[in-house]
Structure formats: C-alpha cells, structure tokens
Amino acid sequence: MLSKRKLAFTFDDGMLSNYTFTAKVLKDYGFSATFFITATGRLWDGTELEEPQISWPQLQEMSDDGFEIANHSYTHYSVEGLDDRKLRQSVKDMEHAIESHGIPKPVTFGYPSYRCTEKAAALLKSLGYKYCRAGYKPREPNVENFDRHLACAPWDRNEVSYYIPGETDPQMIFVTGVLNGNVRNPCYTSELFIKDLEGTPDGAIPVFAGHGMPLEIRQKAFIEMLEYCSKNNWEPVALRNI
C-alpha cells in the first residue's frame, strides 16, 4: 500500500460553521486541520457571509478531538499596519486567551487578511511560531501587492504554491488554494483541488485556507475534497504536523 501524503487544511476567524460542520466532517473521515482564532467579534469572510464565532467550550472540544487551535492575532489587524510592539501584544494577548481556556499554547499563526511581511515573519519566529500561513503568493514580495493579489478567487492566484520542507520559509507559507465561495462565486472548486493535488511535486505539501462553511455549495465541495483524499492516499493534517 502506498504511504499517505500530507496536506494541510486551515480555517480563519473561528466561525461557528467550522464547529457545526467542518470539524465534524473531518473527524468522520479521521482527518485533522488547523483553526485560526481571533478575539474580534463577528467577522465577515470576504464573500458577504457573516457568522457568529465558535464559543470557547466548543473550541476546547475541538482541541480535545485533536484539532489545532491556533493564533490569528487578538485584534485581527493586518500585520503591515502594526509596529513590532503592537503586533507582539496582539499575538501574546491571543496566546493568553487560548491558554487561559485550557487549550495548548499555539505554535502556528495565520496572518489576518492573508497579508504578511518579512518583518512580521521574523518577529513571529522570535516568539516561537513554527509555521505562519499567508494567502496566495503575490507577484512581487512587497506590501503594495498584497492588497491586489491575495484574494479568494482562483483567477487571482498567480502561481500554485506548495510548502516544501527545507526550502519554503516556514514563517511565510503561501497557500495552494483558498476554499471560499458562495452561490454567485464558487471560486476554488473540488475539481481544481484535485488538479492541484495531482500536480503536487514529490516532497511538497499543499496548504489550503478557508473561512466558514455555512453554505451547501461549500459543504458539498469540501466533502468531495475529503472523499478524494480518502480514496487516493492523501492525509489532511493540522499545520503544526506538516
């Protein structure tokens, strides 16, 4: 039997449907994932959908089930707009909130709004963060391009990115695909997901991002992705385990 290859699913903002649907269906398949949590209240997910956040008891349950509860900053401000002091405080405040609810100290960080900078990556490394995930890789690695090129739709993806151990900067991981979509804009489809997995170079690990899963169109596509993984020796894991 072929050994399983890893991929990582990550979900931002702690939206309620990630408890009521995403974690439950992952658990049914025996898979894991990372859920990036922020202390900010109700959040938009970029496709005109808004959900309540997961409660702390629900997050504790997810952590007990083996899912990774990770740091998305306390304030959810994009890192390029924060100086070192403010970013450090936002990261540490979220750490404290997570640990105070009996959940292990996070070792992975999700950049709010998918934006990252080399300066922020260096700070997060100094704070002990093993992996930090951004969005799609921009054409140019500078702040001006992040607003234009880190978006949800596949046509905004300039290249297919994978995490390559020993080669990719672990504090600046750009995603393979962003799973968001709604009725008007399906975005990243299960067909594209399969194509990206089939094109994964040897030794590389695909990393995916998403938000909530409140709509049937998202849920159907996600189940199709998990079905493909189950039948083709792919193992979704938490980001901390890549």
Side-chain angles (χ1 to χ4, degrees):
M1 182 177 178
L2 294 174
S3 59
K4 291 185 178 181
R5 297 190 65 180
K6 292 181 179 179
L7 64 90
F9 284 123
T10 65
F11 300 92
D12 293 6
D13 300 344
M15 294 181 166
L16 183 60
S17 60
N18 286 151
Y19 171 78
T20 59
F21 172 78
T22 313
K24 293 186 183 303
V25 71
L26 281 163
K27 186 178 179 181
D28 286 344
Y29 279 88
F31 297 148
S32 192
T34 295
F35 295 89
F36 289 113
I37 306 303
T38 179
T40 305
R42 295 166 65 91
L43 289 169
W44 298 93
D45 74 352
T47 54
E48 300 181 6
L49 297 174
E50 187 182 20
E51 293 187 62
Q53 285 187 303
I54 301 172
S55 69
W56 283 111
Q58 290 166 338
L59 289 169
Q60 289 171 320
E61 180 184 334
M62 291 166 64
S63 178
D64 291 343
D65 283 339
F67 294 107
E68 179 179 27
I69 307 304
N71 197 328
H72 199 38
S73 84
Y74 197 85
T75 59
H76 200 263
Y77 293 146
S78 298
V79 299
E80 78 269 28
L82 300 176
D83 59 28
D84 282 0
R85 182 187 65 81
K86 289 181 179 178
L87 176 57
R88 180 187 296 269
Q89 189 66 52
S90 187
V91 172
K92 298 301 288 185
D93 284 349
M94 198 65 235
E95 276 183 16
H96 175 72
I98 289 171
E99 289 185 281
S100 70
H101 287 89
I103 298 171
K105 180 180 178 179
V107 296
T108 64
F109 183 85
Y111 291 102
S113 303
Y114 297 143
R115 300 178 178 92
C116 64
T117 65
E118 291 183 357
K119 183 178 180 182
L123 175 61
L124 287 157
K125 183 177 181 179
S126 75
L127 293 175
Y129 281 83
K130 187 176 180 182
Y131 300 110
C132 302
R133 194 226 69 212
Y136 286 138
K137 188 174 183 179
R139 290 193 181 94
E140 299 289 339
N142 58 55
V143 172
E144 287 75 17
N145 275 318
F146 282 96
D147 282 328
R148 290 184 307 188
H149 299 309
L150 290 188
C152 296
W155 50 86
D156 289 320
R157 184 174 66 170
N158 301 296
E159 64 179 81
V160 182
S161 297
Y162 300 95
Y163 175 74
I164 303 175
E167 180 177 322
T168 304
D169 183 344
Q171 280 77 41
M172 294 187 76
I173 298 174
F174 295 104
V175 298
T176 307
V178 178
L179 308 182
N180 289 21
N182 58 26
V183 175
R184 296 186 304 281
N185 180 17
C187 290
Y188 194 85
T189 63
S190 56
E191 290 80 10
L192 185 54
F193 172 83
I194 292 169
K195 180 180 178 180
D196 287 339
L197 290 194
E198 291 176 343
T200 303
D202 290 342
I205 301 171
V207 177
F208 299 91
H211 285 83
M213 291 275 184
L215 294 180
E216 185 177 352
I217 189 172
R218 290 190 186 181
Q219 295 175 3
K220 180 177 181 291
F222 190 58
I223 290 172
E224 289 171 351
M225 294 174 191
L226 299 186
E227 277 288 309
Y228 180 85
C229 291
S230 179
K231 295 175 180 178
N232 291 275
N233 292 305
W234 284 95
E235 181 184 9
V237 301
L239 193 62
R240 66 187 173 195
N241 294 325
I242 60 172

